Structure formats: structure tokens, C-alpha cells
């Protein structure tokens, strides 16, 4: 089944797939119909946005389910499941100079069991970027907005994004993301919470 791309305000997009029995949606709920995703959403906000979008497309809401055990002993969950969840935190270091010092400090850190890569041109650092399950990324949020978001943004949203990037740069804001992808472990982390 081919995904359908749904476009929201401010160049936000979502991909929805269904085979008639299962529905899958791929998008950033905290970015949907928002000028930016700087502050993010709680899981409750994300659930609300997701279900509103599904309803607008004539699809059923995602709901919590229950755990069942099959005859062969395998446990299955009957409700919606979350396949990726990113936790983010923004650190205001005080200014561009302090941000660079913090980035250099982070680049020298090792996290047990994770590979690290430091990008010298941007001073961004990733740990375990080859993993299919977890990744930690530390990056200059203003730089990310200028390089990745502004070029894709609708022209009417670019002044806002440029202003936000300027403010973030002035305060030396570093974003650290913990990306949890695929097979959230333990399995109970995957379920659609009540």
C-alpha cells in the first residue's frame, strides 16, 4: 500500500498508510500545523494531534489496547503502538562562545556502549548513529533551523524562523535529542498510553 502525504500549515507534512486493517502514520506531531517544533509536545499533546489528524482523514482514532497471549505463548498488543519517540531538551549556554565550548566538551565525551561521531564543520556530535534502536544527538539548534528548516519553509514562515534562529544563536541554545526508534524496549514503552 502506498502512503498518502497530507500537508498541513507551515509546510508540515504527514504520511499515512493503511492496508484496510492497520493504519500507520509517520510525522512529527509537535511540528504539525506549527511554525516550528522548538518547544515540542508532551505525549498527551502528540496523541491528541495524531488522533485529530486521523479523524480529519476519515480514519479511526488510535486507542489503547490490551496484551493477549497466543496459543504459542507469544504476547501481542491489540492497540496502537508507537514505533519512534524522541525526547529533547534545550540548553541555553549563554551565547555563541559558550555554545562552542559546550559543543567541544560534549565531543570529548564517551557514552559506554555507544559509538560517537563528531562533525568538525558544525561541532555537532552523535552517539550510536548507526544503531537502529537508539541515538543521541547534540547540535546547535539555530544552525539546524537555518540549514534545514528555512530552505523548506513556506516564504511567509521564513521571517519567523530566521528570527527564532537569531534568538537561539544569541542565547547559545544547544539541543540534545534522545531518539528511540524501533522496538522500544521493554515492549510496554511501545503501547499507546491511556
Amino acid at each position: 500500500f502506498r502512503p498518502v502525504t497530507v500537508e498541513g500549515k507551515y509546510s508540515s507534512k504527514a504520511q499515512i498508510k493503511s492496508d484496510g486493517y492497520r493504519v500507520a502514520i509517520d510525522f512529527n506531531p509537535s511540528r504539525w500545523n506549527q511554525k516550528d517544533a522548538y518547544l515540542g509536545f508532551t505525549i498527551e499533546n502528540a496523541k491528541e494531534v495524531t488522533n485529530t489528524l486521523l479523524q480529519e482523514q476519515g480514519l479511526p482514532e488510535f486507542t489503547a489496547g490490551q496484551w493477549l497471549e497466543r496459543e504459542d505463548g507469544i504476547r501481542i498488543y491489540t492497540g496502537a503502538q508507537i514505533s519512534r519517540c524522541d525526547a529533547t531538551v534545550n540548553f541555553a549556554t549563554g551565547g555563541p562562545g559558550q555554545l562552542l565550548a559546550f559543543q567541544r566538551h560534549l565531543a570529548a565525551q564517551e557514552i559506554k556502549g555507544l559509538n560517537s561521531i563528531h562533525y568538525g564543520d558544525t561541532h555537532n556530535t552523535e552517539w550510536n548513529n548507526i544503531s537502529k534502536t537508539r541515538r543521541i544527538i547534540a547540535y546547535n539548534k539555530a544552525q539546524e533551523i537555518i540549514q534545514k528548516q528555512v530552505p523548506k519553509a513556506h516564504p511567509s514562515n521564513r521571517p519567523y524562523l530566521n528570527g527564532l534562529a537569531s534568538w537561539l544563536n544569541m542565547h547559545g541554545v544547544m539541543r540534545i535529542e534522545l531518539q528511540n526508534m524501533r522496538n522500544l524496549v521493554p515492549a510496554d514503552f511501545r503501547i499507546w498510553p491511556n
Side-chain angles (χ1 to χ4, degrees):
F1 45 93
R2 292 184 78 172
V4 173
T5 300
V6 180
E7 296 194 21
K9 296 178 188 173
Y10 308 111
S11 305
S12 57
K13 294 181 182 177
Q15 285 200 331
I16 301 174
K17 297 188 277 189
S18 177
D19 62 3
Y21 298 98
R22 293 173 31 148
V23 175
I25 186 167
D26 183 8
F27 80 126
N28 180 349
S30 65
R31 175 70 180 87
W32 183 252
N33 286 338
Q34 302 295 316
K35 289 183 174 185
D36 67 81
Y38 170 62
L39 295 177
F41 275 177
T42 65
I43 192 75
E44 291 303 317
N45 296 135
K47 286 171 49 182
E48 184 179 330
V49 167
T50 301
N51 279 336
T52 299
L53 176 56
L54 291 171
Q55 286 178 334
E56 289 170 353
Q57 300 305 309
L59 295 166
E61 289 186 356
F62 286 163
T63 59
Q66 59 184 349
W67 285 101
L68 301 176
E69 189 167 330
R70 298 187 330 197
E71 290 178 13
D72 59 6
I74 294 177
R75 289 179 66 207
I76 59 169
Y77 184 68
T78 62
Q81 295 187 38
I82 299 168
S83 60
R84 177 174 172 171
C85 182
D86 295 354
T88 63
V89 64
N90 299 307
F91 292 98
T93 63
Q98 292 91 337
L99 173 60
L100 184 57
F102 187 45
Q103 287 176 299
R104 287 180 176 152
H105 167 75
L106 287 176
Q109 304 308 304
E110 293 184 17
I111 300 175
K112 185 176 179 179
L114 300 180
N115 301 318
S116 67
I117 294 180
H118 174 66
Y119 299 97
D121 58 334
T122 61
H123 301 288
N124 296 336
T125 303
E126 295 185 23
W127 291 270
N128 209 29
N129 75 327
I130 58 173
S131 172
K132 301 254 190 252
T133 57
R134 289 194 181 98
R135 175 165 71 166
I136 300 170
I137 306 170
Y139 59 92
N140 178 330
K141 184 60 180 172
Q143 188 177 54
E144 185 266 342
I145 288 173
I146 294 297
Q147 292 177 349
K148 295 183 179 177
Q149 294 183 33
V150 171
K152 297 178 188 175
H154 188 274
S156 64
N157 198 31
R158 287 181 185 151
Y160 169 81
L161 289 173
N162 284 319
L164 176 60
S166 177
W167 184 87
L168 294 169
N169 185 57
M170 180 174 62
H171 294 284
V173 174
M174 164 72 78
R175 160 79 54 101
I176 298 180
E177 290 183 13
L178 170 60
Q179 297 179 345
N180 292 296
M181 301 166 280
R182 289 193 188 167
N183 303 325
L184 297 175
V185 177
D188 290 344
F189 287 156
R190 293 194 304 260
I191 65 172
W192 191 261
N194 286 325

